[in-house]
């Protein structure tokens, strides 16, 4: 046990060295494996059921044309969107929680998701296309992020201040969103409501590819360029500065990455709640490592949202639920538990 | 006269320091003699911790400059400064569940890179730092299980692992009981003597300051009132002027350094 938690080092003769923790590697692998297994199960379930073997051969280009169509054309875009949305939300949450040094730092509590919703609703109200809706969500989330940053700026951007300002912004935007809903015509209201609960229904490659592009750029930026500094930020601003971390550059960069990830995720799947909040905490419980656990959180988020979408599609008989309902119920329960646990530990 | 050689590595010229718009100190000129154990003292809110934070590049001065080896500290890259100058701040956060060895290892951050995450040197220096502070046998223990004194030694070990010739300590003895205070100060004294490092510490206890400091900086209301050898500058007049405290100064029976004995109020 302790042995797995001990950090190991790989060294090359040239003096290069990389550190890793076997327990963290195991946790990431387990999450990725679960995500893959859930994805295969999802691809195989529905009105045209397939065995995992049939799914795999369809994915690798074999199999009969019918299976190929069902798997690769009908079901794969939705599953990929689920995996990527979960990963993006979880990474955003892990970064925010480390930045504010508080498990409540997550896009749905800091108002970023609400901002994305405002943007999306404005587009719906004016009858825009789905592409415009996604753009509206990204713009709204980014604007909310900029607003929070500007409001929290005075007296430093650390910790509780950002959380409190974020909760305030979330409340105001929640009100704005309610107002927008009352002003929307009946036809648009149905579309708006479906988006609002966070749904992966009918997601195509148009939704998955922008997410993939953003993740492909931001994951390395966050992990490699900012990750080591973020680990030092955990020790407090003064200590991080004394250790040579350029906080004044790295903090806004990380905040921007988190905002962008959350906004793009919302654009693809609607405001799916609580994944960003829970995934980093669950990942930390698996790895038992201090630090932001960025990679483990990302993998955990992908597995969580894929599993939630599988449950949303098939756990309730014929009735399909939007995935946001499932994550909301599970995540809401988790939040109550978290608050109780923090209270018992005397941190709240 | 070789002027360059006479200038210490860390100096501050005409510093104005403020938080938001509240000015804490104005017109500060400070020199930290090389290889000294400099102690900064002064009443609460006199700006001594603020001065230390400015010397460590954590707080940017609103006016004036801190010079490190003749260069403006604010213009030097953070990582390069962190290899020359270390700071133990008043409050640091130990991440949940982190072990002593992992925390001390984080002091190596300014010497590491993406593909140079843990060199043999990193390992050796981390072990030496733990040994020097007497926390080697605690290496695998979680930091949150330690006593206050042990924890402070772990943080000092982390600052040591940074391997900086200059080390600034902001009230390293606060919240510690008297035996742990002496333990930490003896450790600082040893580091200063055996490793030749320049130490700057903010302390509250005048007698400890007088006993351990080789150079004393006395502040009041954001100004340096006196600076020099504690045996020469620490007089009853100075203490009364700075702290508004009538007192007598006698030689410390252990070390011969000045010992401040506050005057007793007259009883009827």
């Amino acid at each position: 046990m302790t042995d797995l938690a001990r950090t190991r080092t790989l060294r090359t003769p040239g003096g290069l060295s990389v550190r890793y923790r076997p327990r963290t590697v195991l946790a990431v692998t387990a999450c990725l494996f679960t995500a893959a297994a859930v994805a295969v199960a999802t691809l195989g379930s529905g009105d045209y059921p397939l065995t995992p073997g049939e799914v795999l051969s369809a994915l690798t280009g074999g199999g009969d044309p019918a299976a190929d169509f069902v798997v690769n054309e009908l079901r794969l875009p939705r599953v990929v969107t689920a995996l990527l949305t979960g990963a993006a939300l979880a990474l955003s949450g892990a970064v925010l929680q480390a930045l504010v040094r508080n498990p409540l730092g997550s896009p749905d509590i800091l108002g970023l998701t609400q901002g994305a919703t405002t943007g999306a609703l404005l587009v719906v109200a004016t009858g825009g296309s789905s592409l415009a809706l996604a753009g509206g969500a990204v713009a709204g989330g980014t604007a909310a992020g900029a607003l929070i940053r500007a409001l929290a700026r005075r007296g430093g951007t650390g910790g509780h201040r950002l959380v409190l300002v974020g909760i305030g912004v979330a409340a105001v935007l929640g009100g704005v969103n309610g107002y927008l809903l009352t002003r929307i015509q009946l036809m648009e209201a149905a579309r708006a409501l479906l988006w609002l609960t966070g749904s992966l229904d009918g997601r195509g490659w148009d939704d998955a590819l922008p997410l993939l592009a953003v993740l492909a750029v931001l994951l390395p930026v966050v992990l490699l360029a900012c990750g080591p500094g973020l680990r030092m930020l955990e020790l407090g601003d003064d200590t991080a500065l004394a250790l040579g971390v350029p906080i004044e550059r790295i903090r806004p960069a990380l905040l921007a990455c988190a905002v962008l990830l959350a906004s793009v995720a919302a654009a693809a799947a609607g405001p799916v709640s609580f994944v960003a909040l829970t995934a980093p905490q669950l990942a930390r419980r698996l790895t038992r490592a201090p630090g932001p656990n960025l990679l483990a959180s990302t993998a955990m988020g992908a597995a969580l949202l894929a599993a939630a979408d599988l449950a949303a599609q098939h756990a309730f008989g014929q009735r399909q639920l939007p995935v946001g309902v499932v994550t909301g119920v599970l995540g809401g329960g988790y939040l109550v538990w978290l608050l109780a646990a923090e209270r018992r530990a005397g941190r709240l | 006269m070789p002027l360059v050689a006479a200038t210490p590595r860390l100096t501050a010229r005409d510093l104005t320091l403020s938080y938001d718009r509240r000015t804490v100190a104005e017109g500060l000129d400070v020199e930290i003699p090389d290889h000294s154990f400099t102690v900064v003292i002064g009443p609460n809110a006199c700006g001594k911790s603020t001065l230390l934070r400015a010397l460590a590049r954590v707080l940017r001065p609103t006016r004036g400059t801190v010079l490190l080896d003749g260069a403006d500290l604010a213009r030097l890259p953070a990582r390069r400064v962190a290899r020359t100058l270390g700071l133990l701040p008043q409050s640091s956060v130990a991440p949940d569940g982190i072990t002593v060895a992992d925390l001390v290892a984080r002091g190596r951050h300014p010497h590491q890179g993406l593909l140079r995450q843990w060199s043999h040197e990193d390992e050796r220096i981390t072990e030496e730092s733990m040994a020097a502070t007497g926390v080697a046998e605690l290496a695998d223990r979680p930091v949150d299980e330690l006593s206050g004194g042990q924890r402070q030694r772990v943080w000092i070990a982390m600052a040591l692992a940074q391997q900086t010739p200059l080390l600034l300590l902001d009230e390293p003895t606060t919240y510690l009981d008297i035996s742990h205070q002496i333990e930490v100060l003896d450790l600082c004294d040893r580091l200063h003597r055996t490793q030749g490092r320049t130490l700057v510490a903010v302390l509250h206890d005048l007698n400890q300051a007088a006993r351990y400091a080789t150079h004393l900086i006395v502040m009041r209301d954001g100004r340096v009132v006196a600076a020099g050898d504690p045996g020469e500058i620490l007089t009853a007049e100075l203490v009364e002027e700075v702290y508004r405290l009538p007192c007598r100064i006698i030689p410390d029976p252990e070390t011969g350094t000045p010992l401040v004995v506050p005057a007793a109020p007259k009883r009827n």
Side-chain angles (χ1 to χ4, degrees), chain A:
Chain A
M1 276 281 287
T2 28
D3 217 16
L4 284 179
R6 191 187 288 273
T7 312
R8 315 272 171 91
T9 312
L10 284 178
R11 292 199 174 95
T12 68
L16 302 182
S17 54
V18 175
R19 297 200 97 185
Y20 69 98
R21 259 174 103 255
R23 201 187 159 96
T24 304
V25 175
L26 270 179
V28 172
T29 315
C31 286
L32 289 177
F33 185 78
T34 309
V38 169
V40 169
T42 311
L43 290 172
S45 22
D47 292 335
Y48 188 90
L50 294 162
T51 65
E54 287 169 327
V55 169
L56 288 177
S57 63
L59 281 177
T60 49
D64 62 284
D68 176 62
F69 176 72
V70 168
V71 168
N72 291 322
E73 300 294 321
L74 291 185
R75 293 177 184 163
L76 192 58
R78 174 176 185 156
V79 170
V80 170
T81 309
L83 291 170
L84 294 175
T85 306
L89 284 174
L91 182 58
S92 168
V95 168
L96 287 172
Q97 290 179 14
L99 274 183
V100 302
R101 297 187 197 103
N102 190 316
L104 286 179
S106 112
D108 33 354
I109 289 183
L110 295 185
L112 303 177
T113 313
Q114 286 79 356
T117 306
T118 309
L121 285 180
L122 282 172
V123 172
V124 172
T126 53
S129 65
S130 347
L131 190 65
L133 193 149
V138 173
T142 314
L147 182 66
I148 294 161
R149 160 112 181 127
L151 288 177
R153 198 187 184 105
R154 267 186 57 88
T157 43
H160 282 69
R161 196 178 161 82
L162 204 67
V163 174
L164 290 176
V165 167
I167 289 174
V169 168
V172 171
L173 289 174
V176 171
N177 293 342
Y179 171 76
L180 283 175
L181 267 181
T182 65
R183 307 294 299 173
I184 287 175
Q185 302 297 318
L186 201 59
M187 279 296 290
E188 273 96 41
R191 184 180 168 207
L193 269 179
L194 185 63
W195 190 85
L196 273 178
T197 40
S199 173
L200 289 164
D201 194 26
R203 287 297 174 273
W205 291 118
D206 297 352
D207 302 290
L209 289 180
L211 250 180
L212 186 63
V214 168
L215 261 178
V217 174
L218 291 190
L219 190 65
V221 168
V222 171
L223 278 184
L224 302 177
C226 302
L230 191 61
R231 255 161 59 82
M232 297 301 135
L233 264 177
E234 267 192 315
L235 306 173
D237 284 8
D238 285 5
T239 310
L241 276 168
L243 287 171
V245 177
I247 289 191
E248 60 280 8
R249 263 188 294 139
I250 206 176
R251 211 200 306 262
L254 279 165
L255 191 62
C257 287
V259 166
L260 205 56
L261 284 165
S263 308
V264 175
V272 176
S273 48
F274 290 120
V275 172
L277 183 77
T278 48
Q281 296 296 321
L282 294 175
R284 177 186 288 256
R285 275 161 184 76
L286 272 191
T287 63
R288 297 215 192 119
N293 282 301
L294 296 174
L295 203 55
S297 301
T298 309
M300 172 65 81
L304 267 185
L305 197 63
D309 192 42
L310 178 62
Q313 286 187 64
H314 303 297
F316 304 93
Q318 286 301 17
R319 165 157 295 177
Q320 287 207 8
L321 289 178
V323 65
V325 173
V326 176
T327 63
V329 170
L330 295 180
Y334 169 77
L335 179 62
V336 171
W337 176 84
L338 176 72
L339 291 173
E342 289 277 297
R343 203 183 149 85
R344 249 177 283 131
R347 277 189 295 245
L348 211 74

